[in-house]
Amino acid sequence: MTIKKSGCHNIISKIFRILLRLVIKVQQEKYIDNLFEDSDLIINSIKRKQYKQYAKDVMKEKELFSEKEISYDKELSSYFFAYCVYYIQVRGKDKKLEKLRDIAGLSMSLSLIFLFLALGSVIALAICYLYSIDYILFEIIYFIINVSLSILFDCYTERTVKNRIRMTLAVYEAEKDLQTYRRLDKSVE
C-alpha cells in the first residue's frame, strides 16, 4: 500500500512541478546550490569530498577566504561551478556540455508545449461537455497523452541537467589531473 502512495505522490509532485514551470522557469541552480550537500546529484561521497577539495583549492588560489571561514554553502557552490564551466570553456573541452545544455532546453520546451496542449484539451473537454458529448472520450485520451508526454520530457530535462552538472565536474577534474600530471612530468625531466 505504501508503494502506491509514494508512486502516486511522485506523479502528483511531477505534475505540480510541471505546472510551476508555467510561472517559474526551472533552472539548474537548484542542483548547483546543493553541490556539496549529501544529495542525489553526486552520490559518491569520495567524489563529493574531492570536489570540496577542488573548491577549497580554488578559493585559496583566489584568496577568497581564510582557512577558518570556509563553508560549503550556496554561494561557494555557485562560484565553484561557474569557475569549472569557465575553466573548461577556456580549454575548449565544452562541446559535449553544450550539447547537453541544448538537449535540456529542447526537452523543457517540449514539456511545456505538451502541457499547453493538455490545457487546450481541458478547454476543449469543457466545450464538448457543454455542447456535445460525442468527442469527450477523444478529449480525455488526448489530455492523458499530452500530460504523459509533458511528464516524460520533464523527467528527461531533469536527468539531462543533472548529467550536465556531473559531466562539468568530471571534465574539470580530468583537466586538473592532466595539468598536475604534466607539471609532474616536466619536473622529472
Side-chain angles (χ1 to χ4, degrees):
M1 186 73 176
T2 57
I3 295 172
K4 289 183 181 180
K5 285 184 180 180
S6 66
C8 182
H9 176 70
N10 194 14
I11 292 171
I12 291 171
S13 68
K14 286 188 185 299
I15 292 172
F16 184 69
R17 186 176 59 228
I18 291 170
L19 291 174
L20 281 177
R21 287 193 180 177
L22 292 174
V23 180
I24 303 169
K25 183 181 176 189
V26 172
Q27 298 176 358
Q28 66 183 358
E29 278 78 26
K30 172 180 136 184
Y31 299 109
I32 293 171
D33 289 347
N34 299 318
L35 201 58
F36 302 117
E37 302 280 320
D38 186 23
S39 68
D40 62 338
L41 183 63
I42 303 170
I43 298 168
N44 189 331
S45 62
I46 297 169
K47 282 284 189 192
R48 195 176 321 106
K49 191 175 181 181
Q50 183 65 39
Y51 295 145
K52 282 183 179 182
Q53 185 60 46
Y54 284 134
K56 189 175 182 179
D57 294 345
V58 168
M59 296 302 123
K60 281 182 184 177
E61 181 181 314
K62 301 289 182 184
E63 298 175 357
L64 296 175
F65 77 97
S66 68
E67 223 21 79
K68 297 175 185 172
E69 293 178 9
I70 191 163
S71 66
Y72 297 98
D73 57 359
K74 289 198 266 187
E75 192 173 353
L76 177 62
S77 295
S78 179
Y79 180 85
F80 177 66
F81 185 77
Y83 180 83
C84 290
V85 169
Y86 177 72
Y87 189 90
I88 293 167
Q89 285 176 344
V90 166
R91 284 157 179 76
K93 304 291 184 183
D94 62 337
K95 289 175 182 49
K96 182 163 184 165
L97 301 173
E98 291 304 314
K99 286 180 184 178
L100 288 173
R101 182 197 314 256
D102 293 342
I103 290 170
L106 179 65
S107 298
M108 186 181 295
S109 297
L110 287 171
S111 176
L112 289 173
I113 287 169
F114 283 113
L115 185 64
F116 281 125
L117 288 172
L119 293 175
S121 69
V122 167
I123 293 169
L125 184 64
I127 292 171
C128 282
Y129 182 74
L130 291 175
Y131 296 108
S132 172
I133 303 180
D134 296 339
Y135 298 105
I136 284 186
L137 182 61
F138 171 75
E139 291 300 330
I140 291 172
I141 292 170
Y142 188 63
F143 172 77
I144 291 170
I145 289 171
N146 284 322
V147 168
S148 300
L149 288 172
S150 183
I151 291 171
L152 176 75
F153 281 111
D154 180 63
C155 294
Y156 191 67
T157 300
E158 188 172 357
R159 190 179 85 194
T160 305
V161 165
K162 286 180 181 180
N163 284 341
R164 181 176 176 269
I165 294 170
R166 288 180 189 130
M167 181 74 67
T168 300
L169 295 172
V171 171
Y172 174 78
E173 181 179 21
E175 284 296 310
K176 288 300 273 188
D177 290 347
L178 186 61
Q179 182 182 13
T180 304
Y181 175 74
R182 286 179 181 156
R183 195 176 325 130
L184 290 174
D185 196 34
K186 285 182 182 178
S187 67
V188 171
E189 292 176 358

